[in-house]
Amino acid sequence: MSVESQGPGKKNDDVQLPAKRANLTVFDNLLKLDIRPERDGTSHSTAQTAMRKRLRGVKLRHVVIAAGFALCVAVPTALTGAYMAFIAADQYHSASAFAVRSIDGKAGGDLLGMFTQSSGGSSTSSDSYMLLDYIRSERMIEAVSQTIDLEQAFARRGADFFYAMAPGLAVEERLEYWKNVVKVNYDHTSSILNLSVKAFDPQTAQAIANAVIVESERLINDLSLEARNGVLKASREEVALAESRLSAARVALRNFRDVTQEADPVEAAKLAAQLVGSLEQQLTQLKTELTSAQTRMSANSPRIRVITTQITSLEKQLDAEKQRFGSGTSGSNQSSDVATRILNYESLETEREFAEKAYTAALGGLEKARMDANNQQRYLATFIQPTLSQLAQYPSRAMNVALVFLACLFAWGVATMGYYNIRDRN
């Protein structure tokens, strides 16, 4: 009984043990299923809570500032970089250097002295400034356009509209574009002008630089010629005035000689004085003979009558000769006497001599002015001819992108700080 009773009970226990294990396994699985959803739900809720906290921390102004940075800084910089990399056309430059100099005998004898002399620097500085303004003016554009088609030279290359010159621009807009592609700098120390021309091909840039130099030489030559003619004009007018005065004096002297029929009244007066002296001597001798004859002869004798007649004739001739010297009264205006003729002749001769001296001085002044004008003549010394580029130096793509980025960043930063400043004050 005991064995049988023990046997079946042990079997029951053995049968129930796997069932219990199975139940425990199912229970454990159920526990695991209950725990995992609790853990996943907890972690998911924690992530959502953190996300909500972050979203609550991000405000509208932060979004606006970030969007402003993207629109004002990132987008313009990216567009500029794309334009510079794929659209902007290559540009070549041609450089040249020249200076305005004057022909001066005191200049240095070596080649370096021609460009570093201080004697001509101050006198040509004004011409250099005039040339600088002329290259940057509309007149230079008109002069260069006569030999080079600027619209064709700076026409659009592909889709590059930024660096090209649009057709049909106004004069002012063409001048602004000209100042961007043609650069000229003036060195005050050496008085040298440095020219730089940009174009879409090197041959065009060199041709434009050559045209600018040709027009600059023409301007300097015209200014030099005008200055030379201005200096000589006054001297030539003085010479013409002195020549006309001398001619008038000579004509007046010739008319005087035609009227008086005397080459030199002074010499004629000397001869007349000698004649008067001779007549007076003869008259004295005749009077002496008459006195001697009257002591020996009667008053009606032929000899006395002859001597008396000779004395009368000599006295009349002597009076006539003396009358030629003057009337003997003050204030006489007779032009036939010797004194008046001598006075008029001396006045005319003095005027003629003064006119001759003035004419000689005017000729000397004209010659000196011509020499000074030749010595101070201006010319354009081009010591670096326009170069021909082999590589494109423009546009500076990286530099332009960096400048756009910095400019946009600066503008965005100023706007952002201004907003925060107003917000803090309020």
Side-chain angles (χ1 to χ4, degrees):
M1 291 293 294
S2 61
V3 173
E4 291 177 359
S5 62
Q6 291 179 350
K10 186 177 181 180
K11 290 180 180 180
N12 292 331
D13 293 335
D14 293 333
V15 172
Q16 292 177 358
L17 183 61
K20 290 181 180 179
R21 290 179 177 176
N23 293 332
L24 290 175
T25 303
V26 173
F27 181 74
D28 290 338
N29 292 331
L30 290 176
L31 289 177
K32 290 180 180 179
L33 291 174
D34 293 337
I35 293 171
R36 284 177 183 174
E38 184 178 358
R39 289 180 180 177
D40 293 340
T42 303
S43 60
H44 182 66
S45 62
T46 304
Q48 290 181 349
T49 303
M51 183 62 68
R52 291 193 185 98
K53 289 182 180 179
R54 291 193 187 97
L55 292 177
R56 291 193 191 97
V58 177
K59 297 183 179 180
L60 180 61
R61 63 175 181 272
H62 299 155
V63 177
V64 172
I65 291 173
F69 179 83
L71 293 176
C72 296
V73 180
V75 173
T77 303
L79 292 177
T80 302
Y83 188 90
M84 290 296 168
F86 304 106
I87 299 177
D90 293 337
Q91 296 181 14
Y92 302 84
H93 90 288
S94 178
S96 178
F98 48 86
V100 179
R101 294 302 173 192
S102 63
I103 301 175
D104 194 351
K106 297 180 180 179
D110 55 345
L111 181 62
L112 183 61
M114 182 178 66
F115 300 104
T116 59
Q117 55 180 330
S118 60
S119 60
S122 59
S123 60
T124 58
S125 59
S126 59
D127 296 334
S128 299
Y129 280 112
M130 283 190 291
L131 180 59
L132 181 65
D133 294 336
Y134 179 69
I135 295 175
R136 297 173 177 174
S137 67
E138 301 171 359
R139 295 293 177 265
M140 177 60 76
I141 300 177
E142 295 175 358
V144 175
S145 298
Q146 295 178 0
T147 57
I148 299 174
D149 188 359
L150 295 180
E151 290 189 358
Q152 181 64 28
F154 297 109
R156 180 182 298 180
R157 300 298 192 272
D160 185 10
F161 66 91
F162 185 78
Y163 292 103
M165 183 174 67
L169 292 178
V171 177
E172 293 77 10
E173 294 177 346
R174 287 166 61 92
L175 181 60
E176 291 297 327
Y177 185 85
W178 176 264
K179 291 180 179 180
N180 290 328
V181 296
V182 177
K183 302 290 185 179
V184 56
N185 297 319
Y186 177 63
D187 189 356
H188 302 275
T189 304
S190 59
S191 300
I192 293 176
L193 291 165
N194 296 299
L195 176 66
S196 177
V197 179
K198 294 188 297 184
F200 294 110
D201 57 88
Q203 290 79 13
T204 303
Q206 188 182 35
I208 294 175
N210 285 322
V212 171
I213 292 176
V214 169
E215 291 300 322
S216 300
E217 289 179 349
R218 185 191 60 79
L219 175 66
I220 294 301
N221 293 334
D222 292 344
L223 291 176
S224 180
L225 181 60
E226 184 178 356
R228 184 176 183 274
N229 293 334
V231 171
L232 297 179
K233 182 179 180 181
S235 300
R236 287 172 179 169
E237 291 178 354
E238 291 294 332
V239 170
L241 181 62
E243 186 177 1
S244 63
R245 184 176 182 179
L246 179 59
S247 299
R250 288 175 176 174
V251 169
L253 187 60
R254 187 193 63 185
N255 294 334
F256 174 80
R257 287 170 177 169
D258 290 340
V259 173
T260 59
Q261 294 182 351
E262 292 178 344
D264 191 350
V266 176
E267 296 296 330
K270 292 179 180 179
L271 295 176
Q274 293 177 1
L275 180 58
V276 169
S278 177
L279 292 175
E280 288 180 348
Q281 185 178 3
Q282 292 177 13
L283 182 60
T284 301
Q285 290 178 358
L286 289 175
K287 286 182 178 182
T288 302
E289 291 180 2
L290 179 60
T291 302
S292 177
Q294 285 177 353
T295 57
R296 297 191 306 268
M297 301 176 187
S298 62
N300 294 326
S301 62
R303 177 64 178 167
I304 292 177
R305 287 199 299 270
V306 171
I307 294 173
T308 302
T309 302
Q310 291 178 350
I311 289 173
T312 303
S313 299
L314 285 174
E315 287 178 350
K316 290 180 179 180
Q317 186 178 2
L318 185 60
D319 290 338
E321 293 296 334
K322 288 183 177 181
Q323 191 68 28
R324 291 176 60 188
F325 282 98
S327 61
T329 59
S330 61
S332 176
N333 294 324
Q334 298 179 1
S335 60
S336 60
D337 56 25
V338 176
T340 304
R341 293 198 302 273
I342 291 175
L343 177 62
N344 294 334
Y345 175 78
E346 288 179 348
S347 299
L348 295 175
E349 184 65 18
T350 302
E351 177 65 19
R352 185 191 65 81
E353 292 178 355
F354 183 80
E356 285 183 351
K357 293 180 180 178
Y359 181 68
T360 304
L363 287 177
L366 177 60
E367 187 64 23
K368 185 177 182 299
R370 183 180 290 108
M371 294 176 63
D372 293 341
N374 292 333
N375 291 334
Q376 295 178 1
Q377 189 173 359
R378 304 293 192 268
Y379 67 95
L380 190 69
T382 305
F383 55 94
I384 297 181
Q385 296 296 331
T387 59
L388 182 65
S389 297
Q390 296 181 354
L391 296 176
Q393 295 85 7
Y394 302 97
S396 301
R397 292 177 170 82
M399 180 64 69
N400 292 335
V401 173
L403 290 177
V404 170
F405 173 74
L406 292 177
C408 295
L409 183 63
F410 177 77
W412 175 80
V414 170
T416 303
M417 287 189 294
Y419 168 74
Y420 277 105
N421 188 12
I422 296 172
R423 179 175 175 276
D424 293 340
R425 290 179 180 274
N426 293 330

